[in-house]
Amino acid sequence: MKRDGLKYRIKRRVKAFIIYLFLSIVTVVCLFPLAWMLSSSLKSQSTIFSDMSIIPRNPIWSNYAEAFIKGKFWIYMTNSIFYTTLVVFGIVIVSSWAAYAFSRLKFPGSGLFFNMFLAAMMIPLPGSFVPLYVLVNNVKKIIISGLHYISPFLLRFFSEDTVLQIFSFIEQQFYPRSVYIFCMINVGLSLSIYILKTFFDKMPKELEEAARIDGCSKMGIWRHVAMPLARPAIAVIVIFNTLNVWNEYILAQLILTQNNAMPLQRGLMVFQGVYVTQYPLLMAGITMTVVPILIVYLAMQKHIIKGMTAGALVG
Amino acid sequence: MLKIRSGYLKEQMANLSFALPAIVIFAIFYIYPFFKVFQLSLCNWDGISPFVFSQHFVGLRNFKDVMADRIWWESMWHAVYITLIALTFQNALALALALACDQEIRARNFFRVIFFIPPILSEVVVGLIWNWIYDGNYGLLNHWLKILGLHHWAHNWLSDPTTALTCIAVVHSWKGFGWGFIILLAGLQTIPRQLYEAAKVDGANSWQIFLKVTVPLMIPVFILVSILTILGSMQVFILIISIMGQGLAYHTEVPVTRILASMLGSSQFGYACAQGVVFGIVLIILSFGQKRLSRYFRQE
Amino acid sequence: MSNNKDIILWKHKIIPKIMGIILFVFCSLNIFGCFQPSKSKSQNSPSVGQKKKIVVWHWMTDRHDYFLELAKKYKDLTGVEVVFELYAPSDAYSQKIRAAGQAFTIPDIFGILAEKRDFGAFVKAGHLADLSQELNKDNGAWRKQFVKGALEVNEFLPNNEFGVKPGIYGIPIDIMTIQLLYNKKLFRQAGLDPDRPPRTWDEFIAAARKLRDAGIQGLVSGWGEIWMIYCFATNYAFNIMGEEKVFATFRGEVPYTDPDWIQVFSLFKQLSDENLLATGIVTMVNKKAEQTFANELAAFAFNGSWCVNVYEGMNPNLDYGVIMPPSFSQKYPMKIWGAAGSSFVVNDRSLRKNEAIAFLKWLTMEEQQLYLLKTTKNPPSNKNCLTKISPLLYEFTKQMDNSTHPNIWPAHEFPVVIERFNKGIQSIIIKEKTPEQLGRELQELKEQELKRQKEK
């Protein structure tokens, strides 16, 4: 037994060493480009390609301040946080309702609709921006005519300036931002519903029965039983959709018109001119955009693993 | 009878209302554009002139052209190549890392954070950074190869038709393995420890434990990861544009870049939509193939 | 407990009702979305009580701040507010302007980032205002202040191949030419005389060989952006076979297997075979090529006049000169691409058309052009300013007389053939195809496209 014990311990040590070596190599490969990005953000435009060192001799910390100011990050970052929060919140609610319905409730067409969502994951729609844009603008015109229609009524209570301001706000801020939010909710909907449905399918029926006996309505079951159990899946879709919205700019440019409604990627575009790209500022800007996502991920990843013992992610 | 009927209908409607917000949003932002795109694929339109369906309708001619377009199918093969590399190397790596992290209790959180950093970066950034690394003149890769004494391996990675696509596939896998890692790790953590203990007591070594215990329980997770990998890798394009510009003489084209070229470059909007529809059909076929495989494995 | 039940039941009833209402609203909106937007002018009415405001869409990130300055100045001067909206990068801009064209939400002033055919499509769709009347007013006062060749790019001549009503539809705000640059310091290093740069192709090859033997890369250019390949190739095509034959090829009268075209392709083959090109040139975007030249890794660069500003930012000590691409044949003149750099067009349906035109007039006046020249260092389109540009920029602009541009050619090639042409040359450079193979392939594709055009 004693001999076996020693051999066993050595074997375990060697195994641990190999595992740690493997993990370290992958860590370096993972982190290296990131380190390169960080070190580039501290160099100057003229040395950024000639200086090969990872730690620049004279780090230019002011690049970060300059990028922040030049890229108007406080506006764009606020916008991004705004959009991301609303979109993620919206997706979690909407997709969990839908996934719960597809999984546990019967209604006509549930199979059909679910398969449509699945198909949407697989069929990308290039060129969809044209009909989308036309639709968005048609609706905008309808809303504007509607506003014109009720303006005499409003003019009785408010001054003309106020009415104009309200209308202008609705047309230029409220409407495009809302459309963008709904558009982004749609983008993440299919995958979120798919993940949540597979999760809800594994939910033990007994808990549901118990809640129903206690007099819980369907909404109550959703809120008190399904959602807490689905926490890991919800964490996954939170992360996934946060990433999607945070890194998105094509739809934003299409739908939004005001500069102060644009998300973060717009700030980065400022450094990528038609003729000149200001690389150090760009790298500094990118580093600043990565930090908030990292924070969200750190907050969410605890949920992924914590709830694991209570139920499987997929079965 | 009627009362029960109406009660039943009412309940069904109430159930429907749960899914309604999702369906409504989906209808507006996906189904409506979907029909429009399909309609456009039957037309010959440049994207600029006012669109009149009767005037621009050409029937299935666009689809015939797509099927005959050699470059389109080459680009499809490039996407499949990238997907295959992702399915094998990327997911094998993710699995290995997940297994390693499953066992090591110490520093597991640290690694979980580190390995998820590549997916967080946007594709534009990743393309930019790896373009620097692969660059023939300033590239870090060549720089480090020379330092290690392997001059003859220093290469024009992105300008060589034999290596360009593989380099892109490597970057894509680098960016993507973090997702596979997270999902696989979560799946591994659901396997009750007692099964491992029982197997060890029965005298099984690590490899047998892996084959007989881990793999069968992980098959659903493998399938989920595969589907996500296939769908994500086939649709890669921002990465390619970011790392290669307009590509190397058709060697690095993928379906989405071809669609963009038709849409914005040659102003053949209808043709681009037809390409999009064909692409969607290919993806559906691939996904159904996956599902069939999954059913086969589950029955085993 | 029953109290809770009541609340729960109440929630249960209200929510479906709200959903129903939302569904109804959305459905009706969706139905409205199917209608074609009406083209009448009233649809472009200023949305809810805005005063005179001109909206400009553009993609020029580098100039955005300076545009904003000019807009402020204009407002102080005339009280008219000009709003510049930036949409970048150019792909996103192209998508937006096309979508806006469909929805008839085009702004008052915008730029067209497209070739002549798409430009023509915009005109035919009625989006662009014909500015020739304004230009010819007062005995052509506005028209005469532009550098020769700058306006022609935006002009459609009578009987043009696109079937567009003749007229001038765009106003250039700067000009550019694309020529060859050479690094004087590297010349000296290789033992070449920086004051006697190569004038013929043979001299060029000889110089490049000497540079190569001295360990310096030869020619760098943004040939990852395939239009630059087209520029270089057509320059030499004009030089080797003359304009008429090139246009005849576009019309389908001359095949791409013609020896003159094979000669054009062989130029690239020669450069590649003798290692006279910079490493990785086929995947270089223009910015990368500019870096390479600015960091003195290559001795020749094929680039446009915008590079003066870029190089100054990257390496102020760069010592370089500008020359025409060395001519291969003496039979026909060497031509370079030169024309309007960026142009603005006016929305024909805009209610503020006159104010927009007035603003463009102001923008192209000497003072504003000088301001843009000072800040962006792009050659101005106003010829009265040409005396005030730096010597290097002058080298670029003095060749405007020898310039041409696809937008003023009487015949055009199919976009798919152009794409194959450029990618084919990339294949030649990476030694995958021979010039003869490319010629055959192009001719095959061309015949296919001609057949298809006849079927329409």
Side-chain angles (χ1 to χ4, degrees):
Chain A
M1 259 321 265
K2 266 216 178 120
R3 258 186 306 156
D4 281 332
L6 184 64
K7 238 205 311 188
Y8 180 62
R9 262 186 294 145
I10 293 180
K11 224 170 144 198
R12 243 185 56 185
R13 283 274 162 81
V14 168
K15 201 166 151 199
F17 175 70
I18 295 181
I19 290 180
Y20 271 119
L21 185 64
F22 174 53
L23 288 176
S24 312
I25 295 178
V26 179
T27 307
V28 168
V29 171
C30 256
L31 284 185
F32 188 68
L34 205 69
W36 187 246
M37 187 175 96
L38 279 171
S39 79
S40 300
S41 68
L42 296 171
K43 297 182 185 156
S44 73
Q45 176 83 335
S46 42
T47 61
I48 196 160
F49 290 109
S50 37
D51 187 357
M52 284 282 166
S53 54
I54 298 228
I55 306 178
R57 232 154 289 153
N58 308 320
I60 307 178
W61 295 100
S62 61
N63 275 341
Y64 281 89
E66 200 182 330
F68 194 84
I69 295 175
K70 223 170 168 190
K72 299 212 186 88
F73 268 41
W74 65 92
I75 301 180
Y76 299 134
M77 205 174 260
T78 317
N79 282 332
S80 274
I81 295 178
F82 173 70
Y83 294 133
T84 311
T85 323
L86 285 181
V87 170
V88 168
F89 187 68
I91 288 193
V92 168
I93 302 266
V94 171
S95 63
S96 62
W97 274 348
Y100 180 62
F102 287 131
S103 166
R104 282 279 182 264
L105 306 174
K106 290 199 189 67
F107 58 90
S110 66
L112 171 70
F113 282 125
F114 183 66
N115 283 326
M116 280 201 310
F117 279 110
L118 275 188
M121 268 205 305
M122 300 169 199
I123 308 182
L125 280 188
S128 64
F129 65 92
V130 171
L132 208 63
Y133 187 81
V134 173
L135 173 64
V136 165
N137 272 288
N138 284 349
V139 172
K140 190 199 266 200
K141 287 193 188 119
I142 293 174
I143 292 183
I144 291 180
S145 350
L147 287 176
H148 271 296
Y149 194 63
I150 66 171
S151 61
F153 172 72
L154 282 177
L155 277 173
R156 280 194 232 148
F157 300 104
F158 305 105
S159 73
E160 183 173 339
D161 265 341
T162 325
V163 172
L164 282 176
Q165 269 184 351
I166 295 177
F167 283 3
S168 159
F169 171 74
I170 291 182
E171 185 205 343
Q172 289 172 350
Q173 292 285 339
F174 180 71
Y175 179 71
R177 288 193 194 232
S178 316
V179 170
Y180 181 61
I181 289 175
F182 279 113
C183 220
M184 292 312 291
I185 289 182
N186 172 60
V187 167
L189 213 50
S190 297
L191 185 65
S192 308
I193 291 182
Y194 178 58
I195 291 183
L196 276 175
K197 175 171 183 287
T198 40
F199 201 103
F200 283 144
D201 282 342
K202 296 302 148 203
M203 201 170 64
K205 284 214 162 84
E206 304 83 41
L207 284 169
E208 220 182 315
E209 285 307 312
R212 194 166 296 159
I213 293 174
D214 274 347
C216 239
S217 71
K218 295 198 187 70
M219 186 67 90
I221 297 178
W222 171 79
R223 215 177 112 215
H224 297 289
V225 179
M227 292 297 273
L229 279 182
R231 210 180 285 148
I234 293 180
V236 166
I237 55 178
V238 164
I239 296 175
F240 181 71
N241 287 303
T242 310
L243 270 180
N244 264 354
V245 181
W246 198 257
N247 288 335
E248 207 280 332
Y249 70 96
I250 298 181
L251 270 179
Q253 300 232 42
L254 199 63
I255 297 178
L256 301 169
T257 49
Q258 298 292 345
N259 201 33
N260 60 9
M262 292 286 180
L264 207 48
Q265 299 292 324
R266 159 57 138 254
L268 294 179
M269 280 302 150
V270 169
F271 305 123
Q272 291 172 292
V274 177
Y275 302 124
V276 181
T277 300
Q278 296 163 296
Y279 287 108
L281 294 179
L282 181 63
M283 291 293 128
I286 292 174
T287 314
M288 286 193 282
T289 67
V290 167
V291 170
I293 302 250
L294 217 48
I295 295 177
V296 169
Y297 172 67
L298 284 172
M300 287 291 122
Q301 55 117 7
K302 287 193 213 122
H303 290 286
I304 299 184
I305 306 302
K306 204 202 279 187
M308 274 296 95
T309 45
L313 176 59
V314 278
Chain B
M1 251 318 245
L2 276 170
K3 248 199 182 163
I4 301 175
R5 261 294 156 86
S6 72
Y8 180 66
L9 198 64
K10 220 173 160 194
E11 179 170 346
Q12 296 246 305
M13 284 302 127
N15 290 345
L16 178 65
S17 69
F18 268 88
L20 212 52
I23 294 178
V24 165
I25 295 181
F26 184 65
I28 297 177
F29 291 102
Y30 188 84
I31 297 187
Y32 167 66
F34 178 79
F35 281 116
K36 268 289 182 177
V37 167
F38 192 71
Q39 181 193 38
L40 284 173
S41 71
L42 299 172
C43 300
N44 181 22
W45 183 52
D46 63 356
I48 301 173
S49 351
F51 179 66
V52 181
F53 186 59
S54 48
Q55 191 184 330
H56 290 115
F57 181 74
V58 287
L60 293 175
R61 197 177 74 179
N62 283 334
F63 287 97
K64 259 194 274 180
D65 292 337
V66 172
M67 299 309 267
D69 189 349
R70 180 177 59 92
I71 294 182
W72 167 255
W73 293 109
E74 260 180 37
S75 74
M76 188 74 70
W77 162 241
H78 295 154
V80 170
Y81 178 73
I82 295 180
T83 309
L84 283 176
I85 293 205
L87 277 178
T88 49
F89 292 115
Q90 173 188 309
N91 288 343
L93 177 66
L95 183 61
L97 289 172
L99 284 170
C101 281
D102 191 35
Q103 308 199 352
E104 290 310 306
I105 313 293
R106 249 190 314 170
R108 183 173 58 200
N109 294 331
F110 171 71
F111 287 120
R112 275 211 318 258
V113 173
I114 296 288
F115 294 151
F116 200 69
I117 288 187
I120 288 183
L121 302 173
S122 80
E123 291 183 303
V124 176
V125 175
V126 171
L128 198 62
I129 297 179
W130 279 89
N131 182 298
W132 281 355
I133 294 180
Y134 278 132
D135 185 74
N137 282 325
Y138 311 97
L140 281 181
L141 186 59
N142 286 344
H143 184 73
W144 283 100
L145 282 175
K146 286 192 188 115
I147 290 186
L148 287 174
L150 298 164
H151 306 271
H152 52 277
W153 278 9
H155 208 119
N156 232 331
W157 302 100
L158 295 175
S159 318
D160 186 344
T162 48
T163 57
L165 199 61
T166 316
C167 288
I168 294 177
V170 165
V171 178
H172 178 72
S173 301
W174 175 84
K175 185 175 189 302
F177 83 87
W179 276 112
F181 169 70
I182 290 286
I183 298 180
L184 287 170
L185 184 62
L188 279 176
Q189 304 238 295
T190 70
I191 300 179
R193 304 284 123 180
Q194 298 92 320
L195 287 177
Y196 288 134
E197 300 300 329
K200 268 199 208 123
V201 163
D202 281 347
N205 64 20
S206 313
W207 183 243
Q208 284 170 324
I209 293 180
F210 176 67
L211 272 183
K212 290 279 158 64
V213 178
T214 318
V215 170
L217 288 174
M218 284 288 284
I219 284 190
V221 189
F222 288 157
I223 289 167
L224 174 68
V225 172
S226 313
I227 290 188
L228 291 180
T229 308
I230 291 180
L231 290 178
S233 308
M234 288 295 287
Q235 295 181 45
V236 68
F237 79 100
I238 300 184
L239 188 67
I240 298 188
I241 296 180
S242 176
I243 200 175
M244 296 282 294
Q246 284 185 313
L248 177 67
Y250 295 131
H251 285 286
T252 55
E253 296 287 324
V254 288
V256 184
T257 58
R258 293 311 303 154
I259 294 176
L260 281 178
S262 305
M263 197 185 299
L264 297 175
S266 340
S267 284
Q268 292 174 308
F269 213 91
Y271 184 67
C273 289
Q275 285 176 317
V277 172
V278 171
F279 188 46
I281 294 176
V282 169
L283 285 180
I284 291 185
I285 293 177
L286 282 176
S287 305
F288 273 129
Q290 258 284 346
K291 281 210 152 167
R292 276 287 152 81
L293 247 126
S294 83
R295 233 171 274 166
Y296 173 68
F297 273 119
R298 277 203 206 198
Q299 277 161 2
E300 232 189 39
Chain C
M1 200 50 198
S2 66
N3 215 9
N4 274 352
K5 252 201 209 158
D6 281 326
I7 296 177
I8 292 171
L9 267 173
W10 177 81
K11 261 201 224 165
H12 199 128
K13 278 200 183 143
I14 292 289
I15 290 179
K17 287 213 181 95
I18 296 179
M19 296 308 174
I21 295 175
I22 296 179
L23 170 67
F24 171 73
V25 170
F26 272 127
C27 271
S28 30
L29 291 182
N30 213 354
I31 293 174
F32 279 121
C34 292
F35 287 139
Q36 278 293 342
S38 122
K39 293 188 223 171
S40 68
K41 272 200 174 168
S42 60
Q43 291 284 14
N44 267 322
S45 56
S47 30
V48 274
Q50 281 162 6
K51 299 169 224 130
K52 302 271 186 185
K53 185 166 109 161
I54 301 178
V55 178
V56 183
W57 285 5
H58 73 102
W59 67 92
M60 300 172 245
T61 327
D62 320 72
R63 294 184 231 196
H64 187 63
D65 289 333
Y66 310 124
F67 283 152
L68 293 178
E69 276 298 315
L70 285 176
K72 223 190 296 183
K73 210 168 135 196
Y74 193 67
K75 181 158 186 208
D76 292 335
L77 206 62
T78 62
V80 176
E81 194 184 339
V82 180
V83 176
F84 278 89
E85 288 179 17
L86 169 68
Y87 299 105
S90 38
D91 266 355
Y93 178 85
S94 296
Q95 281 185 344
K96 179 135 191 162
I97 205 73
R98 278 169 171 69
Q102 291 306 306
F104 295 96
T105 54
I106 308 185
D108 306 298
I109 300 179
F110 60 103
I112 294 201
L113 251 186
E115 299 156 18
K116 210 65 182 298
R117 178 166 283 131
D118 292 341
F119 194 166
F122 268 98
V123 177
K124 282 203 272 192
H127 293 311
L128 304 188
D130 186 352
L131 301 168
S132 24
Q133 213 183 15
E134 275 299 318
L135 284 162
N136 291 330
K137 242 199 242 179
D138 299 327
N139 207 8
W142 193 17
R143 184 191 198 134
K144 288 200 185 124
Q145 73 180 45
F146 287 107
V147 173
K148 174 171 170 295
L151 273 177
E152 279 73 356
V153 166
N154 295 314
E155 184 174 13
F156 285 92
L157 295 169
N159 292 326
N160 60 75
E161 64 180 300
F162 305 109
V164 172
K165 178 164 159 281
I168 302 182
Y169 294 92
I171 299 294
I173 59 169
D174 62 17
I175 58 173
M176 62 95 180
T177 63
I178 302 181
Q179 292 178 11
L180 199 66
L181 302 95
Y182 67 100
N183 187 320
K184 292 191 179 162
K185 189 172 99 182
L186 292 178
F187 258 41
R188 276 182 220 112
Q189 225 175 302
L192 295 162
D193 184 356
D195 294 318
R196 295 189 58 232
R199 300 261 166 227
T200 69
W201 182 259
D202 292 325
E203 282 174 28
F204 174 64
I205 295 289
R209 278 193 196 127
K210 251 188 154 176
L211 287 157
R212 176 198 58 195
D213 295 333
I216 303 171
Q217 294 180 51
L219 174 65
V220 72
S221 183
W223 286 353
E225 293 182 36
I226 55 182
W227 69 273
M228 285 224 101
I229 298 183
Y230 201 57
C231 177
F232 195 80
T234 49
N235 287 352
Y236 278 96
F238 280 3
N239 177 232
I240 291 175
M241 64 184 91
E243 274 188 358
E244 279 317 309
K245 195 161 174 191
V246 175
F247 297 147
T249 321
F250 294 158
R251 289 194 207 98
E253 295 153 20
V254 173
Y256 277 106
T257 45
D258 187 284
D260 279 338
W261 279 109
I262 306 292
Q263 177 60 64
V264 173
F265 301 145
S266 306
L267 295 178
F268 291 96
K269 182 166 188 303
Q270 184 181 20
L271 288 173
S272 162
D273 284 343
E274 300 202 28
N275 277 329
L276 303 174
L277 295 171
T279 40
I281 191 174
V282 281
T283 51
M284 271 195 200
V285 291
N286 210 18
K287 281 188 194 161
K288 197 59 160 324
E290 285 161 356
Q291 265 155 236
T292 313
F293 188 72
N295 287 326
E296 313 209 79
L297 288 172
F300 289 105
F302 184 66
N303 206 350
S305 47
W306 59 79
C307 69
V308 171
N309 192 19
V310 175
Y311 292 147
E312 200 180 295
M314 286 187 186
N315 184 355
N317 301 323
L318 194 65
D319 185 15
Y320 63 100
V322 183
I323 52 173
M324 289 276 278
S327 39
F328 183 84
S329 142
Q330 304 307 320
K331 224 170 21 155
Y332 297 99
M334 171 56 91
K335 290 274 191 180
I336 54 169
W337 279 18
S342 315
S343 302
F344 279 127
V345 298
V346 176
N347 181 1
D348 199 26
R349 301 201 182 87
S350 158
L351 287 183
R352 291 168 291 278
K353 194 159 69 170
N354 295 326
E355 285 87 355
I357 297 180
F359 176 68
L360 281 182
K361 265 203 188 146
W362 180 81
L363 194 62
T364 50
M365 271 169 31
E366 205 174 313
E367 197 182 330
Q368 281 67 249
Q369 288 280 299
L370 281 175
Y371 174 75
L372 284 174
L373 167 66
K374 192 173 60 141
T375 50
T376 66
K377 299 204 181 55
N378 280 306
S381 56
N382 187 327
K383 69 178 178 210
N384 299 329
C385 303
L386 283 182
T387 49
K388 305 220 173 59
I389 63 180
S390 70
L392 266 175
L393 270 182
Y394 180 68
E395 292 293 314
F396 272 105
T397 54
K398 79 176 182 200
Q399 298 292 355
M400 276 295 275
D401 291 332
N402 287 331
S403 72
T404 178
H405 194 271
N407 280 9
I408 64 173
W409 294 345
H412 288 88
E413 185 55 271
F414 296 111
V416 272
V417 177
I418 296 183
E419 188 195 80
R420 193 69 67 86
F421 182 99
N422 295 327
K423 298 260 185 178
I425 291 183
Q426 279 182 334
S427 297
I428 291 180
I429 294 178
I430 56 178
K431 304 189 176 50
E432 264 192 341
K433 284 203 178 106
T434 69
E436 292 80 13
Q437 271 178 316
L438 180 61
R440 278 195 298 272
E441 202 183 298
L442 279 177
Q443 190 51 30
E444 213 182 284
L445 181 64
K446 177 73 187 243
E447 276 158 19
Q448 220 176 32
E449 288 297 309
L450 282 171
K451 210 165 50 155
R452 186 180 300 183
Q453 198 186 42
K454 279 206 202 93
E455 280 170 10
K456 273 198 216 159

